[in-house]
């Protein structure tokens, strides 16, 4: 969002800065408040200049009274703005108020013959950008009616003799000044309002994307739960068969075969544990298993368990920052495990897991020495089934992205200088103890 032009309309500290539709509407109303302060200052300066310097007689008390009412309405708007949601009707009322004040000022200063009558276009154009068609039609009708009334009834200007030799020259100068004012204000405020509207649309699009990703996670969870139920029987059968094999004399007498059968049985037990975790997680409400844990012991356990499962891949584990405490659930462990699996696949010669504190966040980094990400892959990080491995892959990064987002953090991926890739999970600290 753009910063206010005037200090009188500065945003409160601690106010939400996200470009939501409600925030965008409040920002647009704030722009109108700024525009009204400019109108108050400009009208006051013009009235005083014309009456006391150019010696053109004006009903100063009435015209300055209108300015005072406009300023008072602006103060009320500033007080009410942070306290409630802004609706289209309020924006239309604000534009109609500005139009009424301008109509009264023009009535006391020449009506439709006043060169500043082109300022009506400012309210109409702003309304066309901010309001629905019905409200814009009301503004156009009010403008046309005001213009017609000012053409029939107004207080004419009594120009003193010798002000400018030709009366037409005076009005030509006024028309030029009015045109420059309208053009400048339109460019300034429409640009700022358009940025607010674009930020709002981007925020809505981001929410839709997150909703689609959440739907994908739910769909994957249903498929995973169904697959876990189906896998339970064959895994149990394999476990029984392997147990029988271990008691066979031919395998007992062959140490190499006995070792391979033992490894197979360990892998089956691991698959059964994964299936049990899936079924257990599927029966838990979202966030039920989340708790605060010290990052050090948590990562120690993850690194130790992963190294046991992949003893052939060297793991350089640097440990976590001392005293860091983060929110942890079962999905976070699986997310880090998936990143280590991806790194090991890209770099069988070794991977690295480290953790540091950066800007009140715990940065968990998984590095490899593989080929790194392609530019296209970096642009698709965190999207479902976006992977250079082919169809059906890319789930690990997608799940890790959503797990970290649910915990209030984010995922970052980059290529390392000298080769390899780095994926970082940035998690907010629950607290950092000395």
């Amino acid at each position: 969002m753009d910063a206010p032009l005037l200090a009188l309309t500065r945003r409160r500290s601690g106010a939400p800065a996200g470009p939501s539709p409600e925030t965008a509407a409040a920002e647009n109303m704030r722009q109108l408040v700024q525009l009204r302060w400019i109108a108050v200052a400009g009208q006051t300066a013009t009235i005083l200049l014309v009456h006391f310097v150019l010696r053109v007689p004006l009903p100063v008390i009435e015209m300055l009274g209108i300015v005072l009412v406009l300023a008072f309405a602006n103060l009320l708007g500033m007080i009410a703005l942070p306290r409630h949601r802004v609706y289209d009707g309020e924006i239309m009322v604000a534009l109609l108020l500005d139009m009424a004040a301008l109509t009264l000022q023009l009535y006391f200063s020449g009506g439709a013959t006043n060169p500043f009558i082109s300022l009506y276009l400012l309210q109409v154009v702003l309304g066309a950008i901010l309001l629905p068609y019905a409200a814009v039609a009301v503004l156009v009708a009010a403008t046309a009616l005001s213009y017609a009334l000012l053409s029939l009834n107004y207080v004419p200007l009594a120009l003193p003799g010798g002000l400018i030799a030709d009366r037409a020259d005076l009005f030509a100068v006024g028309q030029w000044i009015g045109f420059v004012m309208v053009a400048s204000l339109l460019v300034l405020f429409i640009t700022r309002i358009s940025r607010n509207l674009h930020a709002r649309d981007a925020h809505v699009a981001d929410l839709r994307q997150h909703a689609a990703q959440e739907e994908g996670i739910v769909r994957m969870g249903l498929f995973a739960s169904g697959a876990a139920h189906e896998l339970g029987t064959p895994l149990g059968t394999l476990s029984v068969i392997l147990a029988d094999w271990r008691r066979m004399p031919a395998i007992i007498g062959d140490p190499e075969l006995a070792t391979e059968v033992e490894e197979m049985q360990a892998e089956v037990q691991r698959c059964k544990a994964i299936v049990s975790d899936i079924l257990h997680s599927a029966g838990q409400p979202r966030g039920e298993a989340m708790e605060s844990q010290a990052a050090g012991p948590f990562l120690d356990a993850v690194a130790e368990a992963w190294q046991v499962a992949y003893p052939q891949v060297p793991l350089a584990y640097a440990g976590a920052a001392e005293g860091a405490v983060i929110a942890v659930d079962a999905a976070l462990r699986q997310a880090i495990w998936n990143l280590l699996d991806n790194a090991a696949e890209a770099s069988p010669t070794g991977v690295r897991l480290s953790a540091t504190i950066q800007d009140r966040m715990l940065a968990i980094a998984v590095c490899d020495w593989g080929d790194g990400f392609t530019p296209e892959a970096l642009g698709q990080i965190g999207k479902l089934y976006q992977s250079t491995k082919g169809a059906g892959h890319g789930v690990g990064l997608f799940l890790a992205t959503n797990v970290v987002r649910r915990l209030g953090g984010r995922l970052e991926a980059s290529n390392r200088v000298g080769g390899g890739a780095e994926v970082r999970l940035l998690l907010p600290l629950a607290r950092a103890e000395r």
Side-chain angles (χ1 to χ4, degrees):
M1 297 296 179
D2 289 320
L5 292 177
L6 301 177
L8 289 171
T9 57
R10 185 176 293 114
R11 186 186 297 114
R12 296 181 306 161
S13 60
S20 64
E22 294 80 6
T23 306
E27 288 290 336
N28 291 334
M29 178 62 83
R30 188 174 286 109
Q31 302 297 329
L32 295 182
V33 170
Q34 297 175 36
L35 179 61
R36 192 175 295 131
W37 284 124
I38 294 177
V40 168
Q43 291 178 18
T44 303
T46 303
I47 293 170
L48 297 178
L49 174 67
V50 171
H51 183 77
F52 294 103
V53 178
L54 299 181
R55 301 297 179 180
V56 176
L58 294 175
V60 177
I61 296 178
E62 291 83 351
M63 297 182 74
L64 289 181
I66 297 171
V67 174
L68 185 61
V69 171
L70 198 60
F72 180 73
N74 220 26
L75 287 174
L76 292 179
M78 288 177 55
I79 295 173
L81 183 58
R83 301 177 184 274
H84 72 290
R85 180 177 176 181
V86 177
Y87 295 92
D88 289 341
E90 297 176 1
I91 295 178
M92 184 181 73
V93 170
L95 292 174
L96 288 175
L97 176 62
D98 295 336
M99 188 178 299
L102 178 61
T103 300
L104 290 175
Q105 298 287 27
L106 292 174
Y107 170 79
F108 289 114
S109 57
T113 63
N114 191 310
F116 292 105
I117 199 167
S118 58
L119 289 173
Y120 274 131
L121 294 176
L122 190 59
Q123 278 77 28
V124 174
V125 174
L126 291 178
I129 296 175
L130 298 175
L131 299 174
Y133 293 123
V136 176
V138 173
L139 287 177
V140 172
T143 305
L145 180 61
S146 300
Y147 200 118
L149 293 176
L150 290 175
S151 301
L152 300 175
N153 188 16
Y154 57 89
V155 178
L157 289 174
L159 300 179
L163 180 61
I164 291 185
D166 189 351
R167 178 186 177 94
D169 292 341
L170 177 62
F171 281 92
V173 172
Q175 290 173 350
W176 179 81
I177 295 175
F179 172 80
V180 172
M181 288 177 56
V182 172
S184 301
L185 291 174
L186 283 177
V187 170
L188 178 62
F189 283 92
I190 290 177
T191 301
R192 297 168 68 85
I193 289 173
S194 297
R195 288 177 184 173
N196 293 339
L197 296 177
H198 290 322
R200 178 201 64 187
D201 294 340
H203 179 74
V204 172
D206 191 47
L207 289 178
R208 288 175 179 170
Q209 180 182 359
H210 288 180
Q213 291 177 347
E214 293 287 344
E215 182 182 356
I217 292 175
V218 172
R219 188 169 62 250
M220 290 174 58
L222 292 175
F223 288 147
S225 298
H229 280 288
E230 297 295 331
L231 288 173
T233 300
L235 286 175
T237 303
L238 286 175
S239 180
V240 172
I241 293 174
L242 289 174
D244 292 340
W245 282 7
R246 291 187 64 183
R247 292 191 293 268
M248 294 178 62
I251 294 179
I252 294 175
D254 189 333
E256 185 176 353
L257 280 177
T259 301
E260 290 180 355
V261 170
E262 185 176 352
E263 291 179 357
M264 292 168 62
Q265 196 169 24
E267 291 299 322
V268 169
Q269 293 299 324
R270 182 188 168 204
C271 290
K272 291 175 68 176
I274 293 174
V275 168
S276 298
D277 288 342
I278 292 175
L279 293 175
H280 178 67
S281 299
Q284 287 181 339
R286 182 171 180 164
E288 179 182 299
M290 190 181 299
E291 60 181 355
S292 295
Q293 289 188 16
F298 169 75
L299 288 177
D300 292 343
V302 173
E304 181 180 357
W306 189 87
Q307 187 65 87
V308 171
Y310 296 91
Q312 73 280 5
V313 181
L315 173 63
Y317 174 52
E322 291 295 332
V325 178
I326 57 174
V328 171
D329 64 3
L332 180 60
R333 175 186 177 278
Q334 188 61 46
I336 299 174
W337 193 293
N338 290 340
L339 296 181
L340 289 171
D341 287 350
N342 291 342
E345 185 175 351
S347 175
T349 58
V351 298
R352 185 177 68 194
L353 174 65
S354 61
T356 56
I357 296 179
Q358 299 178 1
D359 298 329
R360 299 181 181 179
M361 305 279 282
L362 178 68
I364 303 173
V366 176
C367 304
D368 64 59
W369 287 266
D371 297 331
F373 296 105
T374 64
E376 294 78 11
L378 281 176
Q380 301 293 325
I381 289 294
K383 295 185 178 179
L384 184 59
Y385 301 134
Q386 297 294 329
S387 174
T388 56
K389 303 175 187 177
H393 294 273
V395 176
L397 280 175
F398 171 74
L399 291 177
T401 300
N402 285 275
V403 167
V404 175
R405 181 184 299 152
R406 184 162 62 91
L407 295 174
R410 66 183 186 275
L411 181 144
E412 296 178 351
S414 62
N415 289 323
R416 301 171 61 247
V417 177
E422 179 182 52
V423 179
R424 300 200 310 159
L425 305 180
L426 298 174
L427 297 170
L429 294 175
R431 67 178 185 270
E433 300 175 350
R434 293 184 179 178

